[in-house]
Amino acid sequence: MPVRVFDDASQLAQHTARHIAALLQTKPDATLCLASGSTPIATFHALVELAQTGHANVDQCTFVGLDEWLGFGPDDQGSCSFYLYRDLFEPLRLRPEQIQYFDAKAADLVGECRKIDDFIRSRGGLDLLLVGIGMNGHIALNEPGTPFTNYCHVVDLAEMTKEVGQKYFATPTELNQGITIGLQHLTEAHEVILMATGKGKAAVIRQAVQGPVTEQFPASIIQQHPKAHVWVDEDANS
Ligand code: PGA
């Protein structure tokens, strides 16, 4: 599986933002699903810059939320949606109807899953799915062992995810479960970008692209997708 290596995280972010802008030019009403987490933040800033300078048009597209910690929402510092709203949705001045996100505080979580599944289906699948990779190989909150054929679902978090997830919060925070896009949505997405930066991601990127394709290492699913890109910086390629 080919991996494209950029000199640094900033070049990767600029390239990815331009790629999204180009997609929006050919398909202005595209359905995009972009990960939160630390890795894509520079891409969000680059995309906002393109939009603010008239080089990306986000007026007609729709953003679908990738995942969320159960019990958290956009107003909770550290949640997935908190960062997406702060770094992308608000600076882009999106209209509410351009954002489709799980309500991870809802009583009916299965209903939330079906809501997002139905929405994605109604749009003919995701035009672009941009994901990072977890330190245990997870994609979104699809933890090791999750069937590749799952659509949206509620998950019990892996211990590593609970630990690593602390970095998003200002104070120690109990994380137990999440709600997430399933890997079947990745399979059905028209295009997928897996991005990673930093030396800490080198081993998991290697396993994702060179290891066996297995549900025990969710990111390995990327090898099966006909239009997947793995874009990393020098450090993550090391
Ligand atoms: P990160 O998260 O970008 O904050 O490293 C990646 C992930 O857990 O998918």
Side-chain angles (χ1 to χ4, degrees):
M1 166 122 218
V3 174
R4 180 155 178 191
V5 184
F6 294 83
D7 287 346
D8 56 36
S10 163
Q11 304 235 344
L12 167 58
Q14 295 291 337
H15 178 84
T16 310
R18 284 196 299 269
H19 187 89
I20 296 169
L23 167 65
L24 291 172
Q25 210 163 14
T26 50
K27 189 169 184 191
D29 64 347
T31 308
L32 311 172
C33 182
L34 310 185
S36 58
S38 318
T39 314
I41 288 180
T43 298
F44 295 168
H45 293 165
L47 182 58
V48 168
E49 166 105 29
L50 289 177
Q52 288 175 344
T53 54
H55 297 97
N57 186 344
V58 295
D59 285 354
Q60 295 172 54
C61 66
T62 305
F63 289 86
V64 178
L66 181 78
D67 52 10
E68 185 57 283
W69 313 109
L70 229 61
F72 290 80
D75 295 332
D76 302 312
Q77 186 277 330
S79 70
C80 302
S81 49
F82 173 86
Y83 290 111
L84 274 170
Y85 274 87
R86 189 193 70 178
D87 295 321
L88 191 67
F89 298 162
E90 283 169 5
L92 288 179
R93 298 175 174 274
L94 299 180
R95 299 180 305 281
E97 67 270 22
Q98 289 182 277
I99 302 167
Q100 288 289 324
Y101 218 119
F102 300 109
D103 175 358
K105 297 185 180 187
D108 179 10
L109 293 167
V110 173
E112 287 301 304
C113 290
R114 294 297 81 81
K115 176 183 88 179
I116 299 295
D117 285 340
D118 290 347
F119 181 78
I120 294 173
R121 203 165 291 129
S122 77
R123 306 283 299 187
L126 297 168
D127 291 296
L128 177 69
L129 175 61
L130 168 71
V131 292
I133 181 169
M135 294 304 290
N136 62 354
H138 76 200
I139 291 279
L141 289 174
N142 292 277
E143 302 286 24
T146 307
F148 284 169
T149 50
N150 273 16
Y151 286 105
C152 294
H153 58 286
V154 172
V155 301
D156 291 331
L157 299 173
E159 287 307 315
M160 187 182 287
T161 302
K162 295 178 193 174
E163 272 168 41
V164 174
Q166 298 302 317
K167 70 177 175 174
Y168 307 117
F169 296 88
T171 54
T173 302
E174 194 176 325
L175 302 171
N176 291 310
Q177 289 184 298
I179 184 166
T180 185
I181 293 278
L183 294 172
Q184 186 64 29
H185 286 303
L186 182 148
T187 298
E188 294 175 15
H190 299 276
E191 185 175 21
V192 182
I193 301 169
L194 170 62
M195 61 165 21
T197 56
K199 284 193 193 307
K201 292 287 173 69
V204 283
I205 281 294
R206 182 186 176 127
Q207 196 171 341
V209 300
Q210 292 181 350
V213 176
T214 166
E215 290 174 350
Q216 296 311 316
F217 198 81
S220 63
I221 194 175
I222 200 83
Q223 296 178 37
Q224 292 184 340
H225 196 285
K227 199 173 177 196
H229 313 284
V230 181
W231 292 345
V232 304
D233 68 355
E234 283 281 6
D235 286 341
N237 191 49
S238 64

